[in-house]
């Protein structure tokens, strides 16, 4: 029987040009995959139906973003250390405050016209040291317990002040009695559903009168690690009252407190204006060393929002208003401020 010879075909060796073409194909395919991956949008967490998985994905995404921010901050810090004096200047973050709309009423405190107006307005007798502040604090009719507590703490904050029960009297009857007894300012606290919600400040005897919305009230009992109150005359800090209206409001607030603070008491009261909200804080400070200062909050806390400024004492019917907040006409931009 004759033997049959079997032969197997050897694989054909690829030429150099074919190998190059194959390498190009592999490279182009990997690049296409990277481009496709780059064009795929990140997963939308809100489309995950399962609540637990959705919350886990959200927490994971927040951690990744935070980690990337920290790494970017470290990288910029290292670059700045390596470059030294040649490092680019630190970028100023873009905020609503530093991008506010131009306001023609922004004033310079050294301006002669502003100084003349301030020396001849209704508050000039206080700043010329012709009067000593004496404050009368009252409330709306039949105040609730929380409003009474707030008035008591306000009395502790403002030196030389007295809190009186209103007894259903109209403000037009209270103001002449207050003037006759030597009070220089009248503060009226209003409430809604047991919560303080409005504050009136009227400078006696000739005004002006300011109406504020009162919000985020926290009494001393609501603040953690609050310090003991003291009766020393406080230092007053007024921040960011930059317009003509802001100057008027800042002067009204400053006129509630005595002229000469007692620095040994280390008590400071701050009215900080930010986006037309006036944040009130009271602290006691302590110097740890030449550089560090410790603050202890004394309370209370509250926030004021100016609603109107009226000439003269309180008269809601026939009074002449210098400024009234009309929200739908005036608050048309987030970057428009009035104080």
């Amino acid at each position: 029987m004759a033997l049959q010879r079997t032969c197997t075909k050897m694989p054909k060796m690829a030429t150099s040009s074919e190998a190059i073409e194959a390498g190009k194909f592999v490279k182009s395919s990997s690049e296409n995959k990277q481009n496709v991956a780059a064009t795929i949008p990140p997963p939308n967490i809100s489309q995950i139906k399962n609540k637990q998985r959705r919350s886990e994905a959200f927490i994971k995404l927040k951690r990744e973003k935070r980690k990337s921010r920290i790494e970017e901050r470290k990288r910029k810090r290292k670059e700045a250390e390596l470059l030294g004096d040649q490092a680019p200047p630190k970028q100023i973050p873009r905020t609503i405050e530093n991008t506010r709309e131009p306001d023609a009423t922004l004033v310079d405190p050294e301006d002669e016209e502003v100084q003349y107006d301030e020396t001849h307005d209704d508050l000039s007798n206080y700043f010329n040291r012709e009067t000593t502040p004496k404050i009368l604090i009252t409330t709306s009719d039949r105040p609730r317990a929380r409003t009474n507590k707030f008035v008591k703490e306000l009395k502790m904050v403002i030196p030389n002040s007295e809190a009186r029960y209103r007894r259903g009297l109209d403000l037009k009857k209270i103001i002449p009695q207050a003037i006759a007894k030597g009070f220089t300012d009248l503060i009226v606290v209003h409430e809604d559903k047991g919560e303080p919600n409005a504050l009136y400040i009227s400078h006696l005897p000739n005004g002006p009168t300011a109406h504020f919305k009162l919000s985020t009230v926290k009494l001393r009992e609501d603040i953690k690690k609050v310090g003991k109150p003291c009766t020393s005359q406080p230092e007053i800090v007024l921040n960011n009252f930059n317009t003509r209206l802001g100057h008027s409001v800042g002067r009204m607030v400053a006129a509630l407190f005595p002229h000469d603070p007692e620095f040994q008491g280390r008590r400071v009261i701050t009215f900080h204006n930010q986006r037309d909200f006036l944040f009130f804080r009271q602290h006691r400070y302590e110097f740890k060393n030449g550089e560090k200062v410790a603050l202890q909050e004394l309370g209370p806390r509250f926030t004021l929002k100016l609603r109107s400024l009226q000439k003269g004492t309180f008269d809601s019917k026939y009074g002449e208003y210098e400024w009234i907040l009309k929200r739908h006409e005036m608050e048309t931009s987030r970057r428009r401020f009035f104080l």
Side-chain angles (χ1 to χ4, degrees):
M1 185 175 179
L3 295 174
Q4 295 181 354
R5 181 178 293 177
T6 60
C7 63
T8 59
K9 292 183 179 181
M10 297 295 292
K12 187 178 179 181
M13 297 296 292
T15 62
S16 60
S17 60
E18 291 175 347
I20 292 170
E21 292 295 333
K24 287 183 179 179
F25 176 76
V26 172
K27 187 176 181 181
S28 62
S29 62
S30 62
E31 289 178 354
N32 290 334
K33 287 181 181 180
Q34 291 178 358
N35 294 333
V36 170
T39 56
I40 295 176
N44 192 353
I45 297 175
S46 61
Q47 293 181 354
I48 301 175
K49 301 298 182 182
N50 188 285
K51 183 179 179 181
Q52 185 175 356
R53 287 183 58 200
R54 186 170 63 247
S55 62
E56 290 175 356
F58 179 71
I59 292 171
K60 184 179 178 182
L61 180 64
K62 282 187 68 177
R63 287 175 180 170
E64 291 176 355
K65 287 184 176 180
R66 184 175 180 272
K67 187 177 179 180
S68 63
R69 286 197 303 268
I70 293 172
E71 290 176 354
E72 182 69 15
R73 201 179 299 127
K74 289 181 179 178
R75 184 186 66 79
K76 289 182 178 180
R77 192 183 296 120
K78 287 181 180 178
E79 288 181 357
E81 290 176 356
L82 291 174
L83 294 174
D85 296 336
Q86 298 179 356
K90 189 175 181 181
Q91 294 182 353
I92 300 174
R94 183 181 175 88
T95 62
I96 293 179
E97 285 81 4
N98 60 25
T99 58
R100 68 180 291 173
E101 291 184 356
D103 193 345
T105 63
L106 287 172
V107 295
D108 182 7
E110 304 299 328
D111 187 77
E112 293 182 359
E113 183 181 353
V114 175
Q115 293 179 352
Y116 177 83
D117 291 342
E118 290 180 352
T119 54
H120 292 83
D121 64 2
D122 295 323
L123 298 167
S124 59
N125 54 0
Y126 165 80
F127 290 96
N128 294 333
R129 295 177 177 266
E130 298 173 4
T131 59
T132 301
K134 185 179 179 182
I135 317 301
L136 174 62
I137 306 173
T138 187
T139 64
S140 54
D141 291 334
R142 288 174 285 185
R144 301 287 182 87
R146 188 167 178 83
T147 304
N148 284 327
K149 288 181 180 180
F150 177 70
V151 168
K152 289 179 181 178
E153 295 190 7
L154 204 61
K155 179 180 177 297
M156 296 168 64
V157 168
I158 304 174
N160 199 23
S161 61
E162 298 181 16
R164 299 288 180 88
Y165 186 67
R166 185 162 171 177
R167 297 178 181 176
L169 292 175
D170 293 335
L171 288 177
K172 291 182 179 180
K173 294 182 180 180
I174 294 175
I175 290 172
Q177 296 178 17
I179 295 172
K181 293 184 178 181
F183 288 100
T184 60
D185 292 271
L186 172 66
I187 298 177
V188 184
V189 180
H190 284 254
E191 69 173 10
D192 181 36
K193 299 178 181 178
E195 285 287 332
N197 73 328
L199 191 75
Y200 286 87
I201 301 176
S202 183
H203 185 70
L204 305 178
N206 300 318
T209 300
H211 170 212
F212 297 94
K213 177 186 175 183
L214 181 61
S215 61
T216 59
V217 176
K218 280 196 172 185
L219 303 178
R220 287 172 40 80
E221 60 187 20
D222 303 326
I223 302 173
K224 295 181 179 179
K225 298 181 180 179
V226 66
K228 293 182 179 180
C230 57
T231 57
S232 61
Q233 295 184 5
E235 304 169 49
I236 308 300
V237 178
L238 303 175
N239 287 335
N240 298 335
F241 294 88
N242 300 320
T243 64
R244 281 292 185 96
L245 180 64
H247 271 240
S248 300
V249 173
R251 285 167 64 84
M252 279 195 70
V253 170
L256 299 175
F257 298 90
H259 299 93
D260 301 314
E262 296 176 354
F263 296 102
Q264 292 180 350
R266 295 176 287 107
R267 177 185 171 207
V268 59
I269 289 176
T270 305
F271 288 91
H272 176 71
N273 172 36
Q274 184 172 359
R275 304 178 190 179
D276 287 348
F277 288 92
L278 309 185
F279 296 92
F280 172 88
R281 296 292 186 271
Q282 181 183 201
H283 295 90
R284 182 188 293 113
Y285 60 87
E286 180 182 359
F287 294 101
K288 295 292 186 181
N289 51 40
E291 298 180 353
K292 294 184 179 180
V293 179
L295 292 177
Q296 183 182 31
E297 189 169 0
L298 305 179
R301 296 180 197 168
F302 56 87
T303 306
L304 300 174
K305 172 81 170 178
L306 184 66
R307 292 300 186 192
S308 66
L309 185 65
Q310 179 184 352
K311 291 183 177 181
T313 55
F314 180 80
D315 189 353
S316 60
K317 191 173 183 180
Y318 300 107
E320 180 183 356
Y321 286 87
E322 294 184 22
W323 185 85
I324 300 177
L325 176 63
K326 298 178 180 179
R327 294 187 59 191
H328 299 290
E329 298 178 13
M330 301 169 69
E331 292 186 343
T332 56
S333 172
R334 295 180 61 198
R335 291 178 171 83
R336 181 180 301 168
F337 308 120
F338 303 101
L339 300 182

